[in-house]
Amino acid sequence: MLLLIFSVAINIISSYLVGISTNQTRKKWCAILGVTINLITLAFFKYSGLIAITFFNSADTLFDFLNTIPLPIGISFFTFQGISLVVDTYRDELTTEEKNKFPKYGLNVALFISFFPQLIAGPIVKAHDFIPQIKTKTRKDIHWEDVIKYLILGYFLKSFVADNLKDYTYWIAYPFFETKSSITLIFMLFGYSMQIFSDFAGYSLIAIGIAGLFGYQLKQNFNFPYIAQSFSDFWKRWHISLSSFLKEYLYFPLGGNRKGKVRTYINLLLTMILGGLWHGAAWSYAVWGLFHGILLATERLLQDLVHIRNNHILKTVKFSVVFIMVSIGWLLFKLPEFSDAVKYIYSIIHNTELNPDYSNITYIIIYSTPIIVYHISYLLRSTNSYNKVKKYSYLAYGFMLFLILTNSGTSQEFIYFQF
Amino acid sequence: MLKNIIFSALVFLVIHYLIVFFSPPNWLGAPQNQWQANMIRAENLILSDTYFEKIIVGSSLSVNLNYGQFDHTWSNLSFSGLSIYEGLEIIHHLEQKPKYLFIEINVLLRDKDTFFLEHLFNPIKYPIKKKLSILKESQQPVSLIGEPLLYHLIRKLMPSNKSNNNPKIVDIKKELVQKMSKDYDIVPIDKIQNQIALLKKLLTPIENHGTKVILFEMPIDQALCNTPLTIAIRQAIKNAFPQYFFIEHPDCTEYSTSDGIHLDHDSALKFVNYFKDKIQQI
């Protein structure tokens, strides 16, 4: 709580000073100071443990001190929002009306930073998207149908899909996976891909729905990522608020793709490594980010060198490659020890002589089916038959509500709370 | 739209209730996973009006103790992956305590899982489940299709004739026993004493209701059966509870396990007969 108050105070002061500065140099320095304090706060609370393990001996007093620093919940999200506020103010992306008198401005910023629906696990909201919406709200500002749909779909993805799948992907843990057959391991990895999507997308939808109850429209955070046919497309569909934040506030300021090919690849790798590290204070997350960075860079290189006409077979191959590689990447989330992730892949290759775990496979298929249907419905959205069926969508929502009531898994913390 | 959604959800609930009501008894109740198996086992006791004269409390070691060998006066409150303390806490909630309580001592040192108990006795779900049986774990809609339909279909699509005595599995099991034997050489005296104190605290109010307590020890792999840890636990139990009948483990060399601590099918059946013989003496 104290940290949140501190973050709010720093961002109010720094962004206000940026906003009222007429001197460009002073404006720039205020912005740099605001961003730096946000980053130092994040680094201190989030990465102190990683710094301790990497640079200090366990016998050092500083090692003990750094390891005891707690990780406040939501810090990764609200510090990024603070950075967004300061930078947007510097770029004059907030209108004059929004740069109100200090008391009102302070209250608006406090609301923006601490808005509870997305405080703990996003979506990361940008200042120029949220602050213009701050005004007295009435019931007319609430789009009830959308709110109900978001909440039902969100709770369904979280409590029916993710919370049930976790009981089967639990065995993706060393040494349990060593006794599972290759096919079981593949299904478990597939199940984990479905689980992490449902968990996070479900939370995001709930956050959007609750924000909607207060008359605030938050942007979508997921756009059917598992139908992506390229890695760049995947990152336009997965955790959109983070990827757009990284693009806008890191990739573009680094030069984006405007400084030659080599620099573009470096910028991509750096952005993805830092994006990976944002997820957690462990080198495995940096490796995950690097993995995606290499995929993006390689894809860009191949697109420049190879030109093949798109057909159905190629689209299927592309979609499959993207899905498989993304799923392999999720192993680093589930198994933060890099050696365990390698052992898992090794077990997939070598455990062909073991019997499948039919029960595990059956329930992974059952609980993953809604995600597959969800993505297929998106692909069919412009067809006539879909439009005919769409008027009965209340049956689908009624069925989801029924399953939430009768078939929810045991609740566990949202996976992205740990970030 | 909202009214349509709620109405259709109610319709699905009614359909589900009718399916459950008219289904053959054996079609329902198959647990989807270990956690749910534990929940169903617990709910079958706490949400039932049936009185069970004899209750077994234990872990995965004794979870298959009935195997259809015991009559309707028995209830097995053993939970895979959990300790004996969850079962004892559940018994505290029962209005009518059992006449006989059998407690497995093998997992004395395992801690109580408060999350399991909080979930079981959730202040909102628990009273609702008492009134609406279709919300019980055993009657989840997925259980209706998972086991009977898809499970067998998946088996047909992915047939496998591979032996369970695969050398790789045998090697892993040997490795597991070797790793466990290192743990079984360590005797955490303080922990044993603390758990004994907890056990006494939980048993006193149950005993005050006239319940007779019987302790028993499951046989495990012969390499682990008489290690410093198992001997220490056995002795500590005998010293702390001399007043209780104690069914000691049979000769471990006559039993085989799947992983060092869980009896395989044949050994489990053998132990059930041993157990039944011993309780005749009580």
Side-chain angles (χ1 to χ4, degrees):
Chain A
M1 188 66 187
L2 284 174
L3 180 65
L4 181 62
I5 293 168
F6 171 76
S7 177
V8 166
I10 286 297
N11 287 302
I12 289 172
I13 295 165
S14 55
S15 61
Y16 190 74
L17 289 174
V18 169
I20 61 169
S21 292
T22 48
N23 182 297
Q24 192 60 27
T25 309
R26 187 170 172 231
K27 188 173 181 164
K28 188 175 179 179
W29 279 107
C30 286
I32 289 172
L33 191 65
V35 170
T36 306
I37 293 175
N38 273 300
L39 288 174
I40 289 172
T41 308
L42 182 64
F44 179 75
F45 284 97
K46 188 163 179 175
Y47 300 104
S48 46
L50 181 63
I51 293 166
I53 293 165
T54 310
F55 298 110
F56 295 97
N57 197 295
S58 56
D60 287 343
T61 326
L62 198 53
F63 178 91
D64 289 334
F65 168 70
L66 290 172
N67 264 325
T68 53
I69 294 170
L71 176 62
I73 197 166
I75 188 171
S76 301
F77 295 91
F78 62 73
T79 48
F80 266 33
Q81 288 187 191
I83 291 169
S84 156
L85 171 70
V86 171
V87 174
D88 284 355
T89 313
Y90 177 74
R91 288 176 180 170
D92 288 327
E93 287 183 19
L94 291 174
T95 63
T96 313
E97 291 80 46
E98 283 132 22
K99 290 185 248 179
N100 290 322
K101 286 183 185 167
F102 189 74
K104 189 160 185 201
Y105 178 78
L107 283 172
N108 286 352
V109 169
L111 175 62
F112 163 62
I113 302 273
S114 61
F115 189 53
F116 78 92
Q118 43 76 47
L119 174 66
I120 292 178
I124 300 168
V125 179
K126 291 182 200 138
H128 60 252
D129 289 329
F130 188 88
I131 291 181
Q133 294 187 59
I134 299 176
K135 62 177 177 73
T136 306
K137 301 288 184 181
T138 64
R139 272 186 290 189
K140 284 181 198 166
D141 295 306
I142 303 172
H143 305 140
W144 288 103
E145 192 173 307
D146 289 343
V147 164
I148 298 298
K149 283 179 174 176
Y150 285 136
L151 289 174
I152 291 176
L153 183 57
Y155 274 106
F156 176 76
L157 289 176
K158 170 61 180 154
S159 64
F160 177 78
V161 180
D163 285 348
N164 276 306
L165 276 173
K166 75 163 191 322
D167 292 326
Y168 306 99
T169 61
Y170 169 82
W171 305 106
I172 304 178
Y174 182 78
F176 302 123
F177 62 72
E178 288 200 317
T179 58
K180 300 287 183 187
S181 72
S182 299
I183 191 79
T184 307
L185 293 170
I186 290 169
F187 269 97
M188 289 203 297
L189 187 53
F190 171 80
Y192 188 68
S193 294
M194 301 294 116
Q195 180 193 337
I196 196 168
F197 165 73
S198 310
D199 193 273
F200 196 16
Y203 174 84
S204 295
L205 287 167
I206 293 168
I208 292 169
I210 295 175
L213 279 175
F214 290 89
Y216 288 91
Q217 315 307 318
L218 302 184
K219 287 190 173 175
Q220 290 293 332
N221 211 14
F222 291 85
N223 186 23
F224 304 90
Y226 289 144
I227 58 138
Q229 290 179 31
S230 68
F231 297 103
S232 55
D233 190 32
F234 174 79
W235 280 104
K236 287 176 191 158
R237 294 171 177 277
W238 180 276
H239 202 176
I240 298 167
S241 63
L242 175 68
S243 53
S244 65
F245 181 97
L246 291 172
K247 189 167 73 174
E248 209 172 313
Y249 299 106
L250 182 60
Y251 181 67
F252 286 157
L254 283 174
N257 60 359
R258 300 187 311 270
K259 307 219 170 176
K261 281 187 183 171
V262 172
R263 186 63 188 268
T264 301
Y265 299 140
I266 292 171
N267 292 342
L268 268 174
L269 288 172
L270 199 58
T271 303
M272 293 311 293
I273 289 170
L274 291 174
L277 267 176
W278 174 89
H279 282 81
W283 293 117
S284 59
Y285 294 110
V287 171
W288 174 80
L290 176 65
F291 174 73
H292 274 274
I294 291 171
L295 290 173
L296 284 165
T298 309
E299 180 180 83
R300 192 176 266 267
L301 180 68
L302 286 174
Q303 276 171 349
D304 291 340
L305 295 174
V306 179
H307 301 282
I308 303 174
R309 236 171 127 181
N310 231 355
N311 54 41
H312 285 302
I313 295 171
L314 186 62
K315 280 182 187 175
T316 308
V317 168
K318 283 202 269 186
F319 145 76
S320 303
V321 167
V322 171
F323 182 76
I324 288 167
M325 297 308 283
V326 164
S327 297
I328 289 172
W330 291 136
L331 263 182
L332 289 164
F333 267 55
K334 187 69 174 155
L335 299 166
E337 283 290 330
F338 188 69
S339 59
D340 290 346
V342 172
K343 283 174 191 164
Y344 193 93
I345 301 292
Y346 180 87
S347 297
I348 289 178
I349 297 165
H350 287 91
N351 288 10
T352 50
E353 74 276 22
L354 301 180
N355 279 318
D357 185 338
Y358 293 110
S359 175
N360 199 304
I361 291 170
T362 299
Y363 289 108
I364 285 175
I365 290 173
I366 292 174
Y367 287 113
S368 300
T369 299
I371 307 304
I372 297 168
V373 169
Y374 183 58
H375 281 75
I376 290 173
S377 70
Y378 175 76
L379 289 171
L380 297 174
R381 69 195 181 286
S382 50
T383 60
N384 284 335
S385 37
Y386 178 84
N387 287 319
K388 282 179 192 168
V389 164
K390 204 176 163 187
K391 59 184 174 186
Y392 300 110
S393 63
Y394 64 87
L395 284 172
Y397 284 97
F399 189 58
M400 284 192 276
L401 187 56
F402 157 72
L403 287 175
I404 290 167
L405 292 170
T406 58
N407 213 130
S408 289
T410 47
S411 57
Q412 71 160 11
E413 206 174 74
F414 291 101
I415 296 173
Y416 264 71
F417 271 18
Q418 63 188 298
F419 308 139
Chain B
M1 179 70 157
L2 177 59
K3 285 182 203 163
N4 287 343
I5 290 172
I6 293 173
F7 180 72
S8 48
L10 286 171
V11 167
F12 285 118
L13 268 170
V14 169
I15 293 171
H16 178 57
Y17 176 77
L18 292 171
I19 291 173
V20 165
F21 190 77
F22 289 111
S23 300
N26 295 336
W27 198 33
L28 299 172
Q32 297 171 36
N33 52 61
Q34 180 177 288
W35 167 273
Q36 198 183 59
N38 290 340
M39 285 294 293
I40 289 172
R41 199 170 270 249
E43 282 182 356
N44 283 345
L45 184 68
I46 61 173
L47 299 178
S48 163
D49 294 324
T50 310
Y51 170 67
F52 294 98
E53 200 179 75
K54 302 156 199 117
I55 296 181
I56 300 170
V57 159
S59 67
S60 54
L61 274 67
S62 48
V63 87
N64 290 321
L65 255 188
N66 48 359
Y67 268 120
Q69 303 283 323
F70 297 113
D71 61 29
H72 60 275
T73 61
W74 284 86
S75 173
N76 190 336
L77 213 50
S78 298
F79 300 120
S80 297
L82 299 177
S83 72
I84 54 176
Y85 306 105
E86 292 82 9
L88 291 173
E89 290 280 6
I90 288 169
I91 289 171
H92 273 251
H93 277 83
L94 295 176
E95 277 181 28
Q96 246 187 319
K97 307 289 183 248
K99 204 169 166 186
Y100 300 98
L101 177 59
F102 297 84
I103 303 175
E104 175 209 309
I105 66 147
N106 295 68
V107 294
L108 179 78
L109 301 188
R110 205 178 274 177
D111 290 317
K112 183 169 62 173
D113 186 338
T114 50
F115 179 73
F116 175 78
L117 291 167
E118 281 163 8
H119 189 80
L120 184 65
F121 294 110
N122 182 287
I124 297 168
K125 286 184 184 175
Y126 175 54
I128 294 175
K129 280 184 185 181
K130 276 180 149 180
K131 305 284 182 202
L132 275 177
S133 61
I134 54 165
L135 296 183
K136 283 161 68 171
E137 292 285 328
S138 59
Q139 294 177 8
Q140 286 193 349
V142 168
S143 299
L144 300 181
I145 55 167
E147 181 74 23
L149 293 172
L150 271 164
Y151 184 74
H152 296 294
L153 181 64
I154 300 293
R155 268 186 177 271
K156 279 185 185 163
L157 291 172
M158 282 190 256
S160 175
N161 296 321
K162 293 169 185 128
S163 165
N164 282 329
N165 289 325
N166 188 289
K168 186 181 167 73
I169 296 284
V170 171
D171 286 341
I172 290 171
K173 284 177 192 171
K174 274 186 193 162
E175 215 178 289
L176 268 171
V177 174
Q178 268 171 3
K179 276 184 191 167
M180 273 193 278
S181 61
K182 286 180 194 165
D183 294 333
Y184 275 62
D185 282 339
I186 301 166
V187 180
I189 298 171
D190 288 343
K191 178 82 179 180
I192 292 174
Q193 292 309 319
N194 289 342
Q195 297 297 83
I196 296 264
L198 176 60
L199 187 55
K200 274 185 185 170
K201 190 179 162 190
L202 288 169
L203 284 177
T204 307
I206 295 173
E207 272 191 291
N208 289 344
H209 280 88
T211 303
K212 188 166 180 176
V213 176
I214 301 105
L215 307 170
F216 70 94
E217 188 179 355
M218 296 288 293
I220 53 178
D221 190 284
Q222 53 183 299
L224 305 173
C225 208
N226 289 303
T227 50
L229 179 63
T230 50
I231 291 170
I233 288 174
R234 209 174 287 139
Q235 201 51 53
I237 287 282
K238 283 180 183 172
N239 291 343
F241 304 107
Q243 71 275 32
Y244 297 155
F245 193 87
F246 183 30
I247 302 175
E248 294 215 30
H249 68 86
D251 184 357
C252 292
T253 59
E254 293 174 11
Y255 291 80
S256 53
T257 68
S258 55
D259 59 2
I261 52 174
H262 296 96
L263 296 176
D264 60 32
H265 182 82
D266 293 338
S267 289
L269 279 173
K270 189 174 176 181
F271 181 77
V272 166
N273 292 327
Y274 169 84
F275 187 78
K276 283 170 88 176
D277 283 341
K278 286 291 177 183
I279 59 177
Q280 295 300 325
Q281 298 169 24
I282 299 169

Short mmCIF file of all heavy atoms in Angstrom, two decimals, chain B residues 103-137:
data_model
loop_
_atom_site.label_atom_id
_atom_site.label_comp_id
_atom_site.label_asym_id
_atom_site.label_seq_id
_atom_site.Cartn_x
_atom_site.Cartn_y
_atom_site.Cartn_z
N ILE B 103 -6.26 -45.25 12.43
CA ILE B 103 -5.37 -44.18 11.97
C ILE B 103 -4.06 -44.77 11.47
O ILE B 103 -3.36 -45.48 12.20
CB ILE B 103 -5.06 -43.18 13.10
CG1 ILE B 103 -6.37 -42.59 13.64
CG2 ILE B 103 -4.15 -42.05 12.61
CD1 ILE B 103 -6.19 -41.68 14.84
N GLU B 104 -3.73 -44.42 10.23
CA GLU B 104 -2.45 -44.86 9.62
C GLU B 104 -1.33 -43.97 10.15
O GLU B 104 -1.44 -42.75 10.13
CB GLU B 104 -2.57 -44.73 8.09
CG GLU B 104 -1.30 -45.03 7.33
CD GLU B 104 -1.23 -44.25 6.03
OE1 GLU B 104 -2.19 -44.28 5.24
OE2 GLU B 104 -0.19 -43.60 5.78
N ILE B 105 -0.25 -44.58 10.61
CA ILE B 105 0.81 -43.76 11.22
C ILE B 105 1.99 -43.49 10.27
O ILE B 105 2.89 -42.73 10.60
CB ILE B 105 1.35 -44.39 12.52
CG1 ILE B 105 2.07 -45.72 12.20
CG2 ILE B 105 0.25 -44.58 13.54
CD1 ILE B 105 3.23 -45.99 13.11
N ASN B 106 1.96 -44.10 9.10
CA ASN B 106 3.11 -43.96 8.16
C ASN B 106 3.42 -42.50 7.84
O ASN B 106 4.58 -42.15 7.65
CB ASN B 106 2.84 -44.69 6.86
CG ASN B 106 2.74 -46.19 7.04
OD1 ASN B 106 1.82 -46.69 7.66
ND2 ASN B 106 3.71 -46.91 6.51
N VAL B 107 2.37 -41.65 7.71
CA VAL B 107 2.60 -40.27 7.28
C VAL B 107 2.42 -39.29 8.44
O VAL B 107 1.94 -38.18 8.25
CB VAL B 107 1.70 -39.89 6.09
CG1 VAL B 107 2.06 -40.69 4.87
CG2 VAL B 107 0.23 -40.04 6.44
N LEU B 108 2.79 -39.73 9.62
CA LEU B 108 2.65 -38.89 10.81
C LEU B 108 3.28 -37.51 10.61
O LEU B 108 2.77 -36.51 11.09
CB LEU B 108 3.33 -39.58 12.00
CG LEU B 108 3.30 -38.81 13.32
CD1 LEU B 108 1.93 -38.94 13.97
CD2 LEU B 108 4.38 -39.31 14.27
N LEU B 109 4.41 -37.48 9.88
CA LEU B 109 5.16 -36.23 9.77
C LEU B 109 4.63 -35.28 8.70
O LEU B 109 5.08 -34.15 8.60
CB LEU B 109 6.64 -36.52 9.49
CG LEU B 109 7.35 -37.38 10.54
CD1 LEU B 109 8.85 -37.44 10.24
CD2 LEU B 109 7.13 -36.82 11.94
N ARG B 110 3.67 -35.75 7.92
CA ARG B 110 3.14 -34.88 6.86
C ARG B 110 2.23 -33.83 7.47
O ARG B 110 1.41 -34.15 8.33
CB ARG B 110 2.38 -35.73 5.84
CG ARG B 110 2.32 -35.14 4.46
CD ARG B 110 1.61 -36.04 3.51
NE ARG B 110 2.50 -37.03 2.91
CZ ARG B 110 2.09 -37.99 2.09
NH1 ARG B 110 0.81 -38.10 1.80
NH2 ARG B 110 2.94 -38.84 1.58
N ASP B 111 2.35 -32.58 7.00
CA ASP B 111 1.56 -31.50 7.60
C ASP B 111 0.14 -31.43 7.05
O ASP B 111 -0.13 -31.86 5.93
CB ASP B 111 2.26 -30.16 7.36
CG ASP B 111 3.55 -30.04 8.16
OD1 ASP B 111 3.53 -30.43 9.33
OD2 ASP B 111 4.56 -29.57 7.59
N LYS B 112 -0.69 -30.83 7.85
CA LYS B 112 -2.10 -30.66 7.47
C LYS B 112 -2.21 -29.69 6.29
O LYS B 112 -1.52 -28.66 6.26
CB LYS B 112 -2.85 -30.10 8.68
CG LYS B 112 -4.35 -29.92 8.49
CD LYS B 112 -5.07 -29.64 9.79
CE LYS B 112 -4.64 -28.37 10.45
NZ LYS B 112 -5.49 -28.04 11.63
N ASP B 113 -3.08 -29.99 5.35
CA ASP B 113 -3.31 -29.12 4.20
C ASP B 113 -4.55 -28.28 4.48
O ASP B 113 -5.67 -28.72 4.28
CB ASP B 113 -3.50 -29.97 2.93
CG ASP B 113 -3.59 -29.14 1.67
OD1 ASP B 113 -3.92 -27.94 1.76
OD2 ASP B 113 -3.33 -29.67 0.58
N THR B 114 -4.33 -27.06 4.94
CA THR B 114 -5.47 -26.23 5.31
C THR B 114 -6.26 -25.80 4.08
O THR B 114 -7.47 -25.56 4.18
CB THR B 114 -5.01 -24.98 6.09
OG1 THR B 114 -3.96 -24.35 5.35
CG2 THR B 114 -4.50 -25.33 7.46
N PHE B 115 -5.59 -25.71 2.93
CA PHE B 115 -6.28 -25.31 1.70
C PHE B 115 -7.38 -26.32 1.36
O PHE B 115 -8.49 -25.93 0.97
CB PHE B 115 -5.27 -25.20 0.55
CG PHE B 115 -5.89 -24.81 -0.76
CD1 PHE B 115 -6.34 -23.52 -0.98
CD2 PHE B 115 -6.07 -25.74 -1.78
CE1 PHE B 115 -6.93 -23.16 -2.19
CE2 PHE B 115 -6.65 -25.38 -2.99
CZ PHE B 115 -7.08 -24.10 -3.19
N PHE B 116 -7.06 -27.60 1.51
CA PHE B 116 -8.05 -28.64 1.22
C PHE B 116 -9.27 -28.49 2.13
O PHE B 116 -10.41 -28.54 1.68
CB PHE B 116 -7.41 -30.02 1.42
CG PHE B 116 -8.34 -31.18 1.28
CD1 PHE B 116 -8.73 -31.62 0.02
CD2 PHE B 116 -8.85 -31.83 2.40
CE1 PHE B 116 -9.61 -32.70 -0.12
CE2 PHE B 116 -9.72 -32.91 2.26
CZ PHE B 116 -10.10 -33.34 1.01
N LEU B 117 -9.00 -28.27 3.42
CA LEU B 117 -10.10 -28.15 4.39
C LEU B 117 -10.92 -26.88 4.14
O LEU B 117 -12.14 -26.89 4.24
CB LEU B 117 -9.55 -28.17 5.81
CG LEU B 117 -8.95 -29.51 6.24
CD1 LEU B 117 -8.15 -29.37 7.53
CD2 LEU B 117 -10.05 -30.56 6.43
N GLU B 118 -10.22 -25.79 3.80
CA GLU B 118 -10.93 -24.53 3.52
C GLU B 118 -11.83 -24.69 2.31
O GLU B 118 -12.93 -24.15 2.27
CB GLU B 118 -9.92 -23.40 3.27
CG GLU B 118 -9.32 -22.83 4.53
CD GLU B 118 -8.06 -22.02 4.27
OE1 GLU B 118 -7.73 -21.78 3.08
OE2 GLU B 118 -7.41 -21.65 5.25
N HIS B 119 -11.33 -25.41 1.32
CA HIS B 119 -12.12 -25.63 0.11
C HIS B 119 -13.31 -26.53 0.41
O HIS B 119 -14.42 -26.28 -0.04
CB HIS B 119 -11.24 -26.24 -0.97
CG HIS B 119 -11.90 -26.29 -2.31
ND1 HIS B 119 -11.99 -25.20 -3.15
CD2 HIS B 119 -12.56 -27.28 -2.94
CE1 HIS B 119 -12.66 -25.54 -4.24
NE2 HIS B 119 -13.02 -26.80 -4.14
N LEU B 120 -13.07 -27.57 1.21
CA LEU B 120 -14.13 -28.52 1.53
C LEU B 120 -15.24 -27.84 2.32
O LEU B 120 -16.42 -28.05 2.07
CB LEU B 120 -13.52 -29.68 2.34
CG LEU B 120 -14.42 -30.85 2.71
CD1 LEU B 120 -14.87 -31.59 1.47
CD2 LEU B 120 -13.67 -31.80 3.65
N PHE B 121 -14.85 -27.02 3.30
CA PHE B 121 -15.83 -26.37 4.17
C PHE B 121 -16.03 -24.90 3.80
O PHE B 121 -16.33 -24.08 4.66
CB PHE B 121 -15.40 -26.49 5.64
CG PHE B 121 -15.42 -27.91 6.14
CD1 PHE B 121 -14.24 -28.58 6.42
CD2 PHE B 121 -16.62 -28.59 6.31
CE1 PHE B 121 -14.25 -29.90 6.88
CE2 PHE B 121 -16.64 -29.90 6.77
CZ PHE B 121 -15.46 -30.57 7.05
N ASN B 122 -15.90 -24.61 2.52
CA ASN B 122 -16.12 -23.24 2.05
C ASN B 122 -17.46 -22.72 2.59
O ASN B 122 -18.49 -23.36 2.40
CB ASN B 122 -16.12 -23.24 0.51
CG ASN B 122 -16.30 -21.87 -0.07
OD1 ASN B 122 -17.39 -21.30 -0.04
ND2 ASN B 122 -15.22 -21.31 -0.59
N PRO B 123 -17.47 -21.56 3.24
CA PRO B 123 -18.70 -21.10 3.91
C PRO B 123 -19.88 -20.84 2.97
O PRO B 123 -21.03 -20.80 3.42
CB PRO B 123 -18.26 -19.81 4.61
CG PRO B 123 -16.99 -19.41 3.97
CD PRO B 123 -16.36 -20.64 3.44
N ILE B 124 -19.59 -20.68 1.67
CA ILE B 124 -20.70 -20.48 0.73
C ILE B 124 -21.07 -21.80 0.06
O ILE B 124 -22.23 -22.19 0.03
CB ILE B 124 -20.32 -19.42 -0.33
CG1 ILE B 124 -20.07 -18.08 0.36
CG2 ILE B 124 -21.42 -19.28 -1.39
CD1 ILE B 124 -19.42 -17.03 -0.52
N LYS B 125 -20.06 -22.49 -0.45
CA LYS B 125 -20.35 -23.71 -1.23
C LYS B 125 -20.84 -24.86 -0.35
O LYS B 125 -21.72 -25.62 -0.75
CB LYS B 125 -19.09 -24.16 -1.97
CG LYS B 125 -18.74 -23.30 -3.17
CD LYS B 125 -17.54 -23.89 -3.90
CE LYS B 125 -17.12 -23.01 -5.04
NZ LYS B 125 -15.90 -23.48 -5.70
N TYR B 126 -20.29 -25.01 0.84
CA TYR B 126 -20.61 -26.16 1.68
C TYR B 126 -22.09 -26.21 2.06
O TYR B 126 -22.75 -27.23 1.84
CB TYR B 126 -19.69 -26.17 2.92
CG TYR B 126 -19.98 -27.24 3.94
CD1 TYR B 126 -20.03 -28.58 3.58
CD2 TYR B 126 -20.18 -26.92 5.27
CE1 TYR B 126 -20.28 -29.57 4.52
CE2 TYR B 126 -20.43 -27.90 6.22
CZ TYR B 126 -20.48 -29.22 5.84
OH TYR B 126 -20.74 -30.19 6.77
N PRO B 127 -22.66 -25.12 2.56
CA PRO B 127 -24.09 -25.18 2.87
C PRO B 127 -24.96 -25.37 1.63
O PRO B 127 -25.99 -26.04 1.68
CB PRO B 127 -24.40 -23.82 3.53
CG PRO B 127 -23.15 -23.09 3.62
CD PRO B 127 -22.08 -23.84 2.97
N ILE B 128 -24.52 -24.80 0.47
CA ILE B 128 -25.31 -24.96 -0.76
C ILE B 128 -25.25 -26.42 -1.22
O ILE B 128 -26.26 -26.99 -1.63
CB ILE B 128 -24.79 -24.02 -1.88
CG1 ILE B 128 -25.03 -22.56 -1.50
CG2 ILE B 128 -25.47 -24.33 -3.20
CD1 ILE B 128 -24.44 -21.56 -2.48
N LYS B 129 -24.08 -27.03 -1.11
CA LYS B 129 -23.94 -28.43 -1.53
C LYS B 129 -24.79 -29.36 -0.66
O LYS B 129 -25.25 -30.40 -1.11
CB LYS B 129 -22.47 -28.87 -1.43
CG LYS B 129 -21.61 -28.40 -2.58
CD LYS B 129 -20.20 -28.95 -2.45
CE LYS B 129 -19.32 -28.38 -3.52
NZ LYS B 129 -17.93 -28.89 -3.46
N LYS B 130 -24.98 -28.97 0.59
CA LYS B 130 -25.82 -29.79 1.49
C LYS B 130 -27.26 -29.82 0.98
O LYS B 130 -27.97 -30.81 1.13
CB LYS B 130 -25.80 -29.21 2.90
CG LYS B 130 -24.62 -29.64 3.74
CD LYS B 130 -24.71 -29.00 5.12
CE LYS B 130 -24.09 -29.89 6.16
NZ LYS B 130 -24.16 -29.32 7.50
N LYS B 131 -27.68 -28.70 0.38
CA LYS B 131 -29.06 -28.61 -0.12
C LYS B 131 -29.17 -29.08 -1.56
O LYS B 131 -30.16 -29.69 -1.96
CB LYS B 131 -29.56 -27.15 -0.06
CG LYS B 131 -29.44 -26.51 1.30
CD LYS B 131 -30.52 -26.99 2.24
CE LYS B 131 -30.41 -26.30 3.58
NZ LYS B 131 -31.05 -27.05 4.66
N LEU B 132 -28.17 -28.74 -2.39
CA LEU B 132 -28.25 -29.06 -3.83
C LEU B 132 -27.19 -30.09 -4.19
O LEU B 132 -26.03 -29.75 -4.42
CB LEU B 132 -27.97 -27.79 -4.65
CG LEU B 132 -29.12 -26.86 -4.94
CD1 LEU B 132 -28.63 -25.63 -5.70
CD2 LEU B 132 -30.21 -27.55 -5.77
N SER B 133 -27.61 -31.34 -4.26
CA SER B 133 -26.62 -32.41 -4.46
C SER B 133 -25.95 -32.34 -5.84
O SER B 133 -24.86 -32.88 -6.02
CB SER B 133 -27.28 -33.78 -4.27
OG SER B 133 -28.31 -33.93 -5.23
N ILE B 134 -26.58 -31.68 -6.83
CA ILE B 134 -25.96 -31.65 -8.16
C ILE B 134 -24.71 -30.77 -8.19
O ILE B 134 -23.97 -30.76 -9.16
CB ILE B 134 -26.92 -31.17 -9.28
CG1 ILE B 134 -27.54 -29.82 -8.93
CG2 ILE B 134 -27.95 -32.21 -9.59
CD1 ILE B 134 -28.18 -29.15 -10.13
N LEU B 135 -24.47 -30.05 -7.09
CA LEU B 135 -23.25 -29.24 -7.05
C LEU B 135 -22.09 -29.98 -6.39
O LEU B 135 -21.01 -29.43 -6.22
CB LEU B 135 -23.53 -27.92 -6.30
CG LEU B 135 -24.54 -27.01 -6.97
CD1 LEU B 135 -24.69 -25.71 -6.19
CD2 LEU B 135 -24.16 -26.69 -8.40
N LYS B 136 -22.32 -31.23 -6.02
CA LYS B 136 -21.24 -32.03 -5.41
C LYS B 136 -20.17 -32.34 -6.46
O LYS B 136 -20.46 -32.42 -7.66
CB LYS B 136 -21.82 -33.33 -4.84
CG LYS B 136 -22.54 -33.13 -3.53
CD LYS B 136 -23.47 -34.26 -3.18
CE LYS B 136 -22.77 -35.55 -2.86
NZ LYS B 136 -23.71 -36.56 -2.32
N GLU B 137 -18.97 -32.58 -5.97
CA GLU B 137 -17.84 -32.87 -6.87
C GLU B 137 -18.11 -34.11 -7.72
O GLU B 137 -17.71 -34.17 -8.88
CB GLU B 137 -16.56 -33.12 -6.05
CG GLU B 137 -16.03 -31.89 -5.34
CD GLU B 137 -15.34 -30.92 -6.27
OE1 GLU B 137 -14.73 -31.36 -7.27
OE2 GLU B 137 -15.40 -29.71 -6.01
#
